[in-house]
Short mmCIF file of all heavy atoms in Angstrom, two decimals:
data_model
loop_
_atom_site.label_atom_id
_atom_site.label_comp_id
_atom_site.label_asym_id
_atom_site.label_seq_id
_atom_site.Cartn_x
_atom_site.Cartn_y
_atom_site.Cartn_z
N MET D 788 19.35 -34.96 -26.79
CA MET D 788 20.03 -33.67 -26.49
C MET D 788 21.22 -33.97 -25.57
O MET D 788 21.11 -34.72 -24.61
CB MET D 788 19.06 -32.73 -25.82
CG MET D 788 19.57 -31.35 -25.61
SD MET D 788 18.30 -30.33 -24.89
CE MET D 788 19.28 -28.99 -24.29
N ALA D 789 22.36 -33.38 -25.90
CA ALA D 789 23.53 -33.59 -25.07
C ALA D 789 23.40 -33.00 -23.70
O ALA D 789 22.70 -31.99 -23.52
CB ALA D 789 24.76 -32.99 -25.79
N ASN D 790 24.10 -33.62 -22.76
CA ASN D 790 24.01 -33.19 -21.37
C ASN D 790 25.36 -32.67 -20.90
O ASN D 790 26.32 -33.46 -20.84
CB ASN D 790 23.55 -34.37 -20.52
CG ASN D 790 23.41 -34.01 -19.07
OD1 ASN D 790 23.72 -32.92 -18.64
ND2 ASN D 790 22.93 -34.96 -18.27
N ARG D 791 25.44 -31.38 -20.61
CA ARG D 791 26.75 -30.84 -20.23
C ARG D 791 27.24 -31.33 -18.91
O ARG D 791 28.41 -31.10 -18.55
CB ARG D 791 26.75 -29.34 -20.33
CG ARG D 791 25.91 -28.64 -19.27
CD ARG D 791 25.99 -27.15 -19.52
NE ARG D 791 25.15 -26.44 -18.53
CZ ARG D 791 24.93 -25.15 -18.58
NH1 ARG D 791 25.41 -24.42 -19.62
NH2 ARG D 791 24.19 -24.55 -17.68
N ASP D 792 26.38 -31.99 -18.12
CA ASP D 792 26.82 -32.58 -16.85
C ASP D 792 27.36 -33.99 -17.06
O ASP D 792 27.75 -34.67 -16.10
CB ASP D 792 25.66 -32.62 -15.85
CG ASP D 792 25.24 -31.22 -15.43
OD1 ASP D 792 26.11 -30.34 -15.33
OD2 ASP D 792 24.01 -31.00 -15.22
N ASP D 793 27.35 -34.44 -18.31
CA ASP D 793 27.76 -35.80 -18.63
C ASP D 793 28.80 -35.81 -19.71
O ASP D 793 28.87 -36.72 -20.55
CB ASP D 793 26.51 -36.58 -19.06
CG ASP D 793 26.67 -38.07 -18.84
OD1 ASP D 793 27.58 -38.47 -18.09
OD2 ASP D 793 25.92 -38.84 -19.47
N LYS D 794 29.69 -34.81 -19.76
CA LYS D 794 30.73 -34.69 -20.78
C LYS D 794 31.76 -35.79 -20.62
O LYS D 794 32.08 -36.21 -19.49
CB LYS D 794 31.46 -33.36 -20.65
CG LYS D 794 30.63 -32.14 -20.85
CD LYS D 794 31.53 -30.91 -20.59
CE LYS D 794 30.73 -29.62 -20.63
NZ LYS D 794 31.58 -28.46 -20.29
N VAL D 795 32.33 -36.23 -21.75
CA VAL D 795 33.51 -37.11 -21.62
C VAL D 795 34.70 -36.22 -21.14
O VAL D 795 34.74 -35.05 -21.44
CB VAL D 795 33.83 -37.86 -22.93
CG1 VAL D 795 32.66 -38.70 -23.36
CG2 VAL D 795 34.19 -36.88 -24.06
N PRO D 796 35.62 -36.82 -20.37
CA PRO D 796 36.63 -36.01 -19.68
C PRO D 796 37.63 -35.34 -20.60
O PRO D 796 38.30 -34.36 -20.20
CB PRO D 796 37.30 -36.98 -18.74
CG PRO D 796 36.97 -38.34 -19.29
CD PRO D 796 35.67 -38.23 -19.98
N GLU D 797 37.80 -35.85 -21.85
CA GLU D 797 38.87 -35.29 -22.70
C GLU D 797 38.47 -33.97 -23.38
O GLU D 797 39.32 -33.32 -23.98
CB GLU D 797 39.23 -36.31 -23.78
CG GLU D 797 39.98 -37.53 -23.25
CD GLU D 797 39.09 -38.59 -22.71
OE1 GLU D 797 37.87 -38.38 -22.67
OE2 GLU D 797 39.61 -39.63 -22.29
N ASN D 798 37.21 -33.60 -23.35
CA ASN D 798 36.83 -32.35 -24.03
C ASN D 798 37.66 -31.17 -23.54
O ASN D 798 37.89 -30.98 -22.36
CB ASN D 798 35.37 -32.01 -23.71
CG ASN D 798 34.36 -32.93 -24.33
OD1 ASN D 798 34.31 -33.07 -25.55
ND2 ASN D 798 33.56 -33.57 -23.52
N ILE D 799 38.08 -30.38 -24.55
CA ILE D 799 38.75 -29.13 -24.18
C ILE D 799 37.66 -28.21 -23.64
O ILE D 799 36.49 -28.28 -24.03
CB ILE D 799 39.44 -28.54 -25.45
CG1 ILE D 799 40.37 -27.40 -25.05
CG2 ILE D 799 38.45 -28.01 -26.47
CD1 ILE D 799 41.79 -27.84 -24.91
N GLU D 800 38.05 -27.37 -22.74
CA GLU D 800 37.05 -26.47 -22.12
C GLU D 800 36.43 -25.56 -23.15
O GLU D 800 37.10 -25.11 -24.09
CB GLU D 800 37.78 -25.61 -21.06
CG GLU D 800 36.86 -24.94 -20.09
CD GLU D 800 37.64 -24.31 -18.92
OE1 GLU D 800 38.71 -24.84 -18.57
OE2 GLU D 800 37.18 -23.25 -18.47
N GLY D 801 35.14 -25.27 -22.99
CA GLY D 801 34.47 -24.35 -23.90
C GLY D 801 33.11 -24.79 -24.30
O GLY D 801 32.54 -25.70 -23.71
N ARG D 802 32.62 -24.12 -25.30
CA ARG D 802 31.20 -24.26 -25.66
C ARG D 802 30.81 -25.65 -26.18
O ARG D 802 29.83 -26.23 -25.78
CB ARG D 802 30.88 -23.19 -26.72
CG ARG D 802 29.41 -23.01 -27.01
CD ARG D 802 29.17 -21.60 -27.57
NE ARG D 802 29.87 -21.42 -28.85
CZ ARG D 802 29.33 -21.67 -30.03
NH1 ARG D 802 28.11 -22.13 -30.14
NH2 ARG D 802 30.03 -21.40 -31.12
N TYR D 803 31.59 -26.16 -27.12
CA TYR D 803 31.25 -27.49 -27.70
C TYR D 803 31.81 -28.59 -26.84
O TYR D 803 32.91 -28.47 -26.28
CB TYR D 803 31.80 -27.60 -29.13
CG TYR D 803 30.93 -26.91 -30.15
CD1 TYR D 803 31.18 -25.61 -30.54
CD2 TYR D 803 29.86 -27.59 -30.75
CE1 TYR D 803 30.37 -24.98 -31.48
CE2 TYR D 803 29.03 -26.98 -31.66
CZ TYR D 803 29.29 -25.68 -32.07
OH TYR D 803 28.51 -25.04 -32.96
N TYR D 804 31.10 -29.70 -26.80
CA TYR D 804 31.52 -30.86 -26.03
C TYR D 804 30.83 -32.11 -26.59
O TYR D 804 29.81 -32.04 -27.29
CB TYR D 804 31.24 -30.72 -24.53
CG TYR D 804 29.78 -30.53 -24.21
CD1 TYR D 804 28.93 -31.60 -23.96
CD2 TYR D 804 29.20 -29.27 -24.23
CE1 TYR D 804 27.61 -31.45 -23.70
CE2 TYR D 804 27.86 -29.07 -23.99
CZ TYR D 804 27.05 -30.18 -23.71
OH TYR D 804 25.72 -29.98 -23.47
N VAL D 805 31.37 -33.25 -26.25
CA VAL D 805 30.76 -34.57 -26.50
C VAL D 805 30.37 -35.14 -25.16
O VAL D 805 31.17 -35.05 -24.21
CB VAL D 805 31.68 -35.48 -27.27
CG1 VAL D 805 31.08 -36.87 -27.44
CG2 VAL D 805 32.06 -34.90 -28.63
N ASP D 806 29.21 -35.78 -25.08
CA ASP D 806 28.86 -36.43 -23.82
C ASP D 806 28.93 -37.97 -23.98
O ASP D 806 29.31 -38.49 -25.03
CB ASP D 806 27.50 -35.98 -23.32
CG ASP D 806 26.28 -36.59 -23.96
OD1 ASP D 806 26.46 -37.49 -24.82
OD2 ASP D 806 25.19 -36.16 -23.66
N THR D 807 28.61 -38.67 -22.93
CA THR D 807 28.87 -40.11 -22.87
C THR D 807 27.93 -40.94 -23.74
O THR D 807 28.05 -42.16 -23.81
CB THR D 807 28.81 -40.63 -21.45
OG1 THR D 807 27.52 -40.36 -20.90
CG2 THR D 807 29.89 -39.97 -20.57
N GLN D 808 26.97 -40.30 -24.40
CA GLN D 808 26.11 -41.05 -25.34
C GLN D 808 26.78 -41.44 -26.66
O GLN D 808 26.22 -42.23 -27.42
CB GLN D 808 24.87 -40.19 -25.71
CG GLN D 808 23.98 -39.88 -24.54
CD GLN D 808 22.85 -38.93 -24.98
OE1 GLN D 808 21.73 -39.36 -25.30
NE2 GLN D 808 23.14 -37.65 -25.02
N CYS D 809 27.94 -40.85 -26.89
CA CYS D 809 28.66 -41.09 -28.17
C CYS D 809 28.79 -42.57 -28.46
O CYS D 809 29.20 -43.37 -27.59
CB CYS D 809 30.04 -40.43 -28.10
SG CYS D 809 31.08 -40.78 -29.52
N ILE D 810 28.46 -42.94 -29.70
CA ILE D 810 28.60 -44.35 -30.14
C ILE D 810 29.80 -44.50 -31.08
O ILE D 810 29.92 -45.54 -31.75
CB ILE D 810 27.31 -44.86 -30.82
CG1 ILE D 810 26.95 -43.95 -32.01
CG2 ILE D 810 26.17 -44.91 -29.80
CD1 ILE D 810 25.83 -44.53 -32.90
N ASP D 811 30.65 -43.50 -31.16
CA ASP D 811 31.92 -43.58 -31.94
C ASP D 811 31.67 -43.86 -33.42
O ASP D 811 32.34 -44.70 -34.01
CB ASP D 811 32.79 -44.67 -31.30
CG ASP D 811 34.27 -44.44 -31.63
OD1 ASP D 811 34.62 -43.30 -32.01
OD2 ASP D 811 35.04 -45.40 -31.51
N CYS D 812 30.69 -43.18 -33.99
CA CYS D 812 30.36 -43.44 -35.39
C CYS D 812 31.30 -42.73 -36.38
O CYS D 812 31.28 -42.99 -37.55
CB CYS D 812 28.93 -42.98 -35.69
SG CYS D 812 28.75 -41.18 -35.82
N ASN D 813 32.08 -41.78 -35.88
CA ASN D 813 33.13 -41.11 -36.65
C ASN D 813 32.60 -39.91 -37.46
O ASN D 813 33.40 -39.23 -38.13
CB ASN D 813 33.85 -42.08 -37.58
CG ASN D 813 35.21 -41.61 -37.96
OD1 ASN D 813 35.94 -41.06 -37.12
ND2 ASN D 813 35.60 -41.80 -39.21
N LEU D 814 31.31 -39.67 -37.45
CA LEU D 814 30.77 -38.58 -38.33
C LEU D 814 31.32 -37.21 -37.95
O LEU D 814 31.67 -36.45 -38.85
CB LEU D 814 29.22 -38.63 -38.20
CG LEU D 814 28.45 -37.96 -39.32
CD1 LEU D 814 28.81 -38.53 -40.67
CD2 LEU D 814 26.94 -38.17 -39.04
N CYS D 815 31.35 -36.88 -36.71
CA CYS D 815 31.81 -35.55 -36.32
C CYS D 815 33.27 -35.35 -36.72
O CYS D 815 33.66 -34.27 -37.12
CB CYS D 815 31.63 -35.29 -34.83
SG CYS D 815 32.48 -36.48 -33.75
N ARG D 816 34.06 -36.39 -36.65
CA ARG D 816 35.48 -36.28 -37.04
C ARG D 816 35.62 -36.11 -38.54
O ARG D 816 36.56 -35.49 -39.01
CB ARG D 816 36.28 -37.47 -36.50
CG ARG D 816 36.22 -37.57 -34.98
CD ARG D 816 37.18 -38.60 -34.43
NE ARG D 816 36.90 -39.98 -34.77
CZ ARG D 816 36.11 -40.76 -34.09
NH1 ARG D 816 35.48 -40.34 -32.96
NH2 ARG D 816 35.90 -42.00 -34.45
N ASP D 817 34.71 -36.67 -39.29
CA ASP D 817 34.72 -36.48 -40.73
C ASP D 817 34.31 -35.06 -41.09
O ASP D 817 34.88 -34.43 -41.97
CB ASP D 817 33.76 -37.45 -41.38
CG ASP D 817 34.33 -38.80 -41.62
OD1 ASP D 817 35.55 -38.95 -41.45
OD2 ASP D 817 33.57 -39.73 -41.94
N ILE D 818 33.31 -34.53 -40.38
CA ILE D 818 32.75 -33.21 -40.72
C ILE D 818 33.68 -32.09 -40.23
O ILE D 818 33.88 -31.07 -40.88
CB ILE D 818 31.35 -33.08 -40.13
CG1 ILE D 818 30.37 -34.07 -40.82
CG2 ILE D 818 30.82 -31.64 -40.25
CD1 ILE D 818 29.02 -34.17 -40.14
N ALA D 819 34.19 -32.24 -39.01
CA ALA D 819 35.01 -31.17 -38.40
C ALA D 819 36.29 -31.79 -37.86
O ALA D 819 36.50 -31.88 -36.65
CB ALA D 819 34.20 -30.53 -37.26
N PRO D 820 37.18 -32.20 -38.76
CA PRO D 820 38.38 -32.94 -38.31
C PRO D 820 39.34 -32.08 -37.49
O PRO D 820 40.14 -32.62 -36.74
CB PRO D 820 39.03 -33.37 -39.65
CG PRO D 820 38.47 -32.44 -40.69
CD PRO D 820 37.12 -32.08 -40.21
N GLY D 821 39.23 -30.80 -37.58
CA GLY D 821 40.13 -29.96 -36.79
C GLY D 821 39.64 -29.74 -35.38
O GLY D 821 40.38 -29.21 -34.54
N ASN D 822 38.43 -30.15 -35.08
CA ASN D 822 37.83 -29.85 -33.79
C ASN D 822 37.47 -31.08 -32.96
O ASN D 822 37.33 -30.96 -31.72
CB ASN D 822 36.57 -28.97 -33.97
CG ASN D 822 36.86 -27.70 -34.71
OD1 ASN D 822 36.69 -27.66 -35.90
ND2 ASN D 822 37.40 -26.71 -34.03
N PHE D 823 37.28 -32.22 -33.63
CA PHE D 823 36.92 -33.43 -32.92
C PHE D 823 38.01 -34.46 -33.10
O PHE D 823 38.63 -34.60 -34.14
CB PHE D 823 35.62 -34.04 -33.49
CG PHE D 823 34.37 -33.21 -33.14
CD1 PHE D 823 34.05 -32.11 -33.91
CD2 PHE D 823 33.61 -33.53 -32.04
CE1 PHE D 823 32.95 -31.35 -33.59
CE2 PHE D 823 32.48 -32.79 -31.73
CZ PHE D 823 32.14 -31.67 -32.52
N ALA D 824 38.30 -35.17 -32.00
CA ALA D 824 39.34 -36.20 -32.02
C ALA D 824 38.76 -37.50 -31.46
O ALA D 824 37.63 -37.57 -31.00
CB ALA D 824 40.53 -35.72 -31.21
N HIS D 825 39.61 -38.53 -31.51
CA HIS D 825 39.18 -39.89 -31.17
C HIS D 825 39.91 -40.37 -29.91
O HIS D 825 41.14 -40.45 -29.88
CB HIS D 825 39.52 -40.81 -32.36
CG HIS D 825 38.91 -42.16 -32.25
ND1 HIS D 825 39.40 -43.23 -32.92
CD2 HIS D 825 37.81 -42.59 -31.58
CE1 HIS D 825 38.64 -44.30 -32.67
NE2 HIS D 825 37.69 -43.94 -31.86
N GLN D 826 39.13 -40.77 -28.93
CA GLN D 826 39.70 -41.44 -27.74
C GLN D 826 39.69 -42.94 -28.12
O GLN D 826 38.69 -43.64 -27.99
CB GLN D 826 38.83 -41.19 -26.52
CG GLN D 826 39.55 -41.09 -25.21
CD GLN D 826 40.30 -42.35 -24.80
OE1 GLN D 826 40.23 -43.40 -25.42
NE2 GLN D 826 41.10 -42.23 -23.77
N GLU D 827 40.82 -43.39 -28.60
CA GLU D 827 40.84 -44.72 -29.23
C GLU D 827 40.64 -45.85 -28.24
O GLU D 827 39.94 -46.82 -28.53
CB GLU D 827 42.19 -44.92 -29.96
CG GLU D 827 42.29 -43.98 -31.16
CD GLU D 827 43.44 -44.28 -32.05
OE1 GLU D 827 43.94 -45.44 -31.99
OE2 GLU D 827 43.86 -43.39 -32.78
N GLU D 828 41.20 -45.75 -27.05
CA GLU D 828 41.09 -46.87 -26.12
C GLU D 828 39.66 -47.08 -25.64
O GLU D 828 39.15 -48.18 -25.58
CB GLU D 828 42.02 -46.64 -24.93
CG GLU D 828 43.47 -46.88 -25.24
CD GLU D 828 44.38 -46.60 -24.06
OE1 GLU D 828 43.88 -46.50 -22.91
OE2 GLU D 828 45.59 -46.48 -24.29
N ALA D 829 39.01 -45.99 -25.29
CA ALA D 829 37.67 -46.06 -24.74
C ALA D 829 36.60 -46.09 -25.86
O ALA D 829 35.47 -46.53 -25.66
CB ALA D 829 37.39 -44.92 -23.78
N GLY D 830 36.96 -45.54 -27.04
CA GLY D 830 36.05 -45.58 -28.17
C GLY D 830 34.97 -44.55 -28.17
O GLY D 830 33.78 -44.87 -28.13
N TYR D 831 35.39 -43.32 -28.18
CA TYR D 831 34.42 -42.23 -28.34
C TYR D 831 35.13 -41.01 -28.89
O TYR D 831 36.37 -40.95 -28.92
CB TYR D 831 33.65 -41.90 -27.06
CG TYR D 831 34.49 -41.67 -25.81
CD1 TYR D 831 35.23 -40.49 -25.65
CD2 TYR D 831 34.53 -42.59 -24.80
CE1 TYR D 831 35.98 -40.23 -24.53
CE2 TYR D 831 35.27 -42.38 -23.65
CZ TYR D 831 36.00 -41.18 -23.52
OH TYR D 831 36.76 -40.97 -22.40
N ALA D 832 34.34 -40.03 -29.30
CA ALA D 832 34.89 -38.76 -29.78
C ALA D 832 34.90 -37.73 -28.65
O ALA D 832 34.17 -37.87 -27.67
CB ALA D 832 34.02 -38.25 -30.93
N TYR D 833 35.75 -36.73 -28.82
CA TYR D 833 35.72 -35.60 -27.90
C TYR D 833 36.13 -34.34 -28.66
O TYR D 833 36.69 -34.40 -29.76
CB TYR D 833 36.67 -35.82 -26.71
CG TYR D 833 38.12 -36.01 -27.05
CD1 TYR D 833 39.00 -34.90 -27.01
CD2 TYR D 833 38.63 -37.25 -27.41
CE1 TYR D 833 40.35 -35.03 -27.30
CE2 TYR D 833 39.99 -37.39 -27.73
CZ TYR D 833 40.84 -36.28 -27.66
OH TYR D 833 42.16 -36.41 -27.99
N VAL D 834 35.84 -33.20 -28.08
CA VAL D 834 36.21 -31.93 -28.69
C VAL D 834 37.65 -31.62 -28.31
O VAL D 834 37.95 -31.46 -27.12
CB VAL D 834 35.24 -30.78 -28.28
CG1 VAL D 834 35.74 -29.46 -28.84
CG2 VAL D 834 33.83 -31.10 -28.76
N SER D 835 38.50 -31.52 -29.33
CA SER D 835 39.91 -31.31 -29.07
C SER D 835 40.29 -29.83 -29.21
O SER D 835 41.34 -29.38 -28.71
CB SER D 835 40.77 -32.14 -30.00
OG SER D 835 40.40 -31.86 -31.37
N LYS D 836 39.44 -29.08 -29.90
CA LYS D 836 39.71 -27.66 -30.12
C LYS D 836 38.36 -26.95 -30.34
O LYS D 836 37.55 -27.46 -31.15
CB LYS D 836 40.59 -27.49 -31.36
CG LYS D 836 40.88 -26.08 -31.74
CD LYS D 836 41.81 -26.04 -32.99
CE LYS D 836 42.02 -24.67 -33.56
NZ LYS D 836 40.84 -24.20 -34.27
N GLN D 837 38.11 -25.87 -29.69
CA GLN D 837 36.88 -25.11 -29.92
C GLN D 837 36.98 -24.41 -31.27
O GLN D 837 38.10 -24.10 -31.70
CB GLN D 837 36.66 -24.09 -28.78
CG GLN D 837 36.42 -24.75 -27.44
CD GLN D 837 35.12 -25.53 -27.39
OE1 GLN D 837 34.17 -25.25 -28.14
NE2 GLN D 837 35.07 -26.53 -26.52
N PRO D 838 35.86 -24.23 -31.95
CA PRO D 838 35.94 -23.61 -33.31
C PRO D 838 36.50 -22.20 -33.25
O PRO D 838 36.23 -21.41 -32.33
CB PRO D 838 34.47 -23.57 -33.78
CG PRO D 838 33.64 -23.72 -32.53
CD PRO D 838 34.49 -24.53 -31.58
N ASN D 839 37.27 -21.89 -34.29
CA ASN D 839 37.89 -20.55 -34.41
C ASN D 839 37.67 -20.09 -35.83
O ASN D 839 38.26 -20.64 -36.76
CB ASN D 839 39.40 -20.68 -34.07
CG ASN D 839 40.12 -19.35 -34.13
OD1 ASN D 839 39.45 -18.32 -34.19
ND2 ASN D 839 41.41 -19.38 -34.11
N GLY D 840 36.75 -19.17 -36.00
CA GLY D 840 36.47 -18.69 -37.35
C GLY D 840 35.18 -19.31 -37.90
O GLY D 840 34.72 -20.33 -37.38
N ASP D 841 34.70 -18.70 -39.00
CA ASP D 841 33.41 -19.09 -39.53
C ASP D 841 33.40 -20.53 -40.03
O ASP D 841 32.43 -21.25 -39.85
CB ASP D 841 33.03 -18.16 -40.69
CG ASP D 841 32.65 -16.78 -40.21
OD1 ASP D 841 32.47 -16.61 -38.97
OD2 ASP D 841 32.57 -15.86 -41.03
N GLU D 842 34.46 -20.95 -40.72
CA GLU D 842 34.48 -22.29 -41.31
C GLU D 842 34.40 -23.36 -40.19
O GLU D 842 33.55 -24.29 -40.29
CB GLU D 842 35.73 -22.49 -42.12
CG GLU D 842 35.70 -23.82 -42.88
CD GLU D 842 36.92 -24.00 -43.75
OE1 GLU D 842 37.71 -23.06 -43.90
OE2 GLU D 842 37.08 -25.14 -44.28
N GLU D 843 35.21 -23.22 -39.17
CA GLU D 843 35.16 -24.21 -38.09
C GLU D 843 33.84 -24.16 -37.34
O GLU D 843 33.29 -25.16 -36.91
CB GLU D 843 36.36 -24.05 -37.16
CG GLU D 843 37.66 -24.48 -37.75
CD GLU D 843 38.81 -24.50 -36.77
OE1 GLU D 843 38.60 -24.07 -35.58
OE2 GLU D 843 39.91 -24.89 -37.14
N GLU D 844 33.34 -22.97 -37.17
CA GLU D 844 32.04 -22.82 -36.50
C GLU D 844 30.95 -23.53 -37.29
O GLU D 844 30.16 -24.30 -36.72
CB GLU D 844 31.69 -21.33 -36.35
CG GLU D 844 30.35 -21.07 -35.66
CD GLU D 844 30.32 -21.57 -34.23
OE1 GLU D 844 31.29 -21.35 -33.45
OE2 GLU D 844 29.33 -22.22 -33.86
N GLU D 845 30.94 -23.38 -38.58
CA GLU D 845 29.95 -24.09 -39.42
C GLU D 845 30.13 -25.58 -39.35
O GLU D 845 29.18 -26.34 -39.30
CB GLU D 845 30.08 -23.61 -40.87
CG GLU D 845 29.43 -22.27 -41.12
CD GLU D 845 29.69 -21.75 -42.54
OE1 GLU D 845 29.94 -22.58 -43.44
OE2 GLU D 845 29.64 -20.55 -42.73
N GLN D 846 31.39 -26.05 -39.36
CA GLN D 846 31.65 -27.48 -39.31
C GLN D 846 31.22 -28.07 -37.99
O GLN D 846 30.59 -29.12 -37.92
CB GLN D 846 33.11 -27.76 -39.53
CG GLN D 846 33.56 -27.51 -40.97
CD GLN D 846 35.04 -27.63 -41.17
OE1 GLN D 846 35.83 -27.63 -40.20
NE2 GLN D 846 35.50 -27.76 -42.41
N CYS D 847 31.45 -27.37 -36.89
CA CYS D 847 31.02 -27.86 -35.56
C CYS D 847 29.52 -27.86 -35.43
O CYS D 847 28.95 -28.80 -34.88
CB CYS D 847 31.67 -27.04 -34.46
SG CYS D 847 33.42 -27.35 -34.24
N SER D 848 28.87 -26.84 -35.96
CA SER D 848 27.43 -26.79 -35.96
C SER D 848 26.87 -27.92 -36.74
O SER D 848 25.86 -28.59 -36.32
CB SER D 848 26.99 -25.44 -36.50
OG SER D 848 25.59 -25.38 -36.51
N GLU D 849 27.43 -28.18 -37.92
CA GLU D 849 26.96 -29.29 -38.74
C GLU D 849 27.18 -30.64 -38.04
O GLU D 849 26.30 -31.53 -38.08
CB GLU D 849 27.65 -29.30 -40.11
CG GLU D 849 27.11 -30.34 -41.05
CD GLU D 849 27.85 -30.38 -42.39
OE1 GLU D 849 28.56 -29.41 -42.72
OE2 GLU D 849 27.71 -31.38 -43.08
N ALA D 850 28.32 -30.80 -37.42
CA ALA D 850 28.60 -32.03 -36.69
C ALA D 850 27.57 -32.23 -35.57
O ALA D 850 27.05 -33.31 -35.38
CB ALA D 850 30.00 -31.98 -36.08
N LYS D 851 27.27 -31.19 -34.85
CA LYS D 851 26.29 -31.27 -33.78
C LYS D 851 24.92 -31.69 -34.36
O LYS D 851 24.27 -32.59 -33.81
CB LYS D 851 26.18 -29.92 -33.08
CG LYS D 851 25.04 -29.86 -32.08
CD LYS D 851 25.02 -28.50 -31.39
CE LYS D 851 23.87 -28.38 -30.40
NZ LYS D 851 22.60 -28.08 -31.06
N ASP D 852 24.52 -31.06 -35.43
CA ASP D 852 23.21 -31.39 -36.02
C ASP D 852 23.18 -32.78 -36.66
O ASP D 852 22.10 -33.38 -36.77
CB ASP D 852 22.85 -30.37 -37.09
CG ASP D 852 22.59 -28.98 -36.51
OD1 ASP D 852 22.35 -28.92 -35.28
OD2 ASP D 852 22.58 -28.00 -37.26
N SER D 853 24.35 -33.30 -37.05
CA SER D 853 24.42 -34.58 -37.71
C SER D 853 24.58 -35.79 -36.78
O SER D 853 24.36 -36.91 -37.20
CB SER D 853 25.56 -34.60 -38.72
OG SER D 853 25.44 -33.53 -39.65
N CYS D 854 25.00 -35.56 -35.55
CA CYS D 854 25.28 -36.64 -34.64
C CYS D 854 24.04 -37.52 -34.47
O CYS D 854 22.97 -37.00 -34.07
CB CYS D 854 25.76 -36.12 -33.31
SG CYS D 854 25.98 -37.43 -32.08
N PRO D 855 24.11 -38.82 -34.77
CA PRO D 855 22.89 -39.63 -34.72
C PRO D 855 22.30 -39.86 -33.35
O PRO D 855 21.13 -40.24 -33.24
CB PRO D 855 23.36 -40.98 -35.33
CG PRO D 855 24.84 -41.01 -35.08
CD PRO D 855 25.27 -39.57 -35.14
N VAL D 856 23.08 -39.62 -32.32
CA VAL D 856 22.57 -39.88 -30.95
C VAL D 856 22.54 -38.56 -30.14
O VAL D 856 22.37 -38.59 -28.91
CB VAL D 856 23.38 -40.92 -30.20
CG1 VAL D 856 23.17 -42.27 -30.86
CG2 VAL D 856 24.84 -40.59 -30.15
N GLU D 857 22.74 -37.43 -30.81
CA GLU D 857 22.69 -36.11 -30.16
C GLU D 857 23.61 -36.04 -28.96
O GLU D 857 23.25 -35.56 -27.86
CB GLU D 857 21.25 -35.76 -29.73
CG GLU D 857 20.32 -35.66 -30.96
CD GLU D 857 18.91 -35.18 -30.59
OE1 GLU D 857 18.68 -34.86 -29.41
OE2 GLU D 857 18.06 -35.13 -31.51
N ALA D 858 24.85 -36.49 -29.19
CA ALA D 858 25.85 -36.51 -28.11
C ALA D 858 26.71 -35.23 -28.12
O ALA D 858 27.56 -35.10 -27.22
CB ALA D 858 26.76 -37.73 -28.25
N ILE D 859 26.48 -34.34 -29.06
CA ILE D 859 27.26 -33.11 -29.14
C ILE D 859 26.44 -31.96 -28.65
O ILE D 859 25.31 -31.75 -29.10
CB ILE D 859 27.75 -32.85 -30.57
CG1 ILE D 859 28.61 -34.02 -31.05
CG2 ILE D 859 28.55 -31.57 -30.67
CD1 ILE D 859 28.96 -33.95 -32.55
N GLY D 860 27.02 -31.17 -27.72
CA GLY D 860 26.34 -30.00 -27.24
C GLY D 860 27.17 -28.74 -27.50
O GLY D 860 28.35 -28.78 -27.74
N ASP D 861 26.48 -27.59 -27.50
CA ASP D 861 27.20 -26.32 -27.72
C ASP D 861 26.83 -25.32 -26.62
O ASP D 861 26.90 -24.14 -26.84
CB ASP D 861 26.87 -25.75 -29.11
CG ASP D 861 25.45 -25.33 -29.26
OD1 ASP D 861 24.63 -25.59 -28.33
OD2 ASP D 861 25.11 -24.74 -30.27
N ASP D 862 26.49 -25.86 -25.46
CA ASP D 862 26.12 -25.01 -24.34
C ASP D 862 27.06 -25.22 -23.15
O ASP D 862 26.68 -25.03 -22.00
CB ASP D 862 24.67 -25.24 -23.92
CG ASP D 862 24.42 -26.68 -23.49
OD1 ASP D 862 25.25 -27.55 -23.78
OD2 ASP D 862 23.37 -26.92 -22.86
N GLY D 863 28.27 -25.71 -23.46
CA GLY D 863 29.27 -25.93 -22.40
C GLY D 863 29.86 -24.60 -21.94
O GLY D 863 29.54 -23.54 -22.43
N GLU D 864 30.78 -24.74 -21.01
CA GLU D 864 31.39 -23.53 -20.47
C GLU D 864 32.88 -23.56 -20.68
O GLU D 864 33.43 -24.58 -20.95
CB GLU D 864 31.09 -23.40 -18.99
CG GLU D 864 29.57 -23.25 -18.78
CD GLU D 864 29.19 -23.39 -17.33
OE1 GLU D 864 30.07 -23.50 -16.46
OE2 GLU D 864 27.99 -23.40 -17.08
S1 SF4 M 1321 28.88 -37.91 -34.48
FE1 SF4 M 1321 28.14 -38.22 -32.36
S2 SF4 M 1321 28.09 -40.45 -32.06
FE2 SF4 M 1321 29.30 -40.06 -33.86
S3 SF4 M 1321 31.42 -39.99 -33.10
FE3 SF4 M 1321 30.67 -37.86 -33.09
S4 SF4 M 1321 29.80 -37.53 -31.06
FE4 SF4 M 1321 30.06 -39.73 -31.31
#
């Protein structure tokens, strides 16, 4: 389960976030390319845009459920 006290710093403020457990597998960026981005130097994903509308909400929810290390949370602020 993702820990909102352990978010990577690049996350945009809001409900969805990535925490430091991310292993940079690229799955979330494939599923929700409009909402997740790549911190290339450090090698992890972060939330670049909070979902806006049903389609992005579904994609972010699917990304969260699909993350192999449960690094995505939806209880951020
Ligand atoms: S799906 Fe999870 S482990 Fe993979 S890049 Fe996204 S946050 Fe990181």
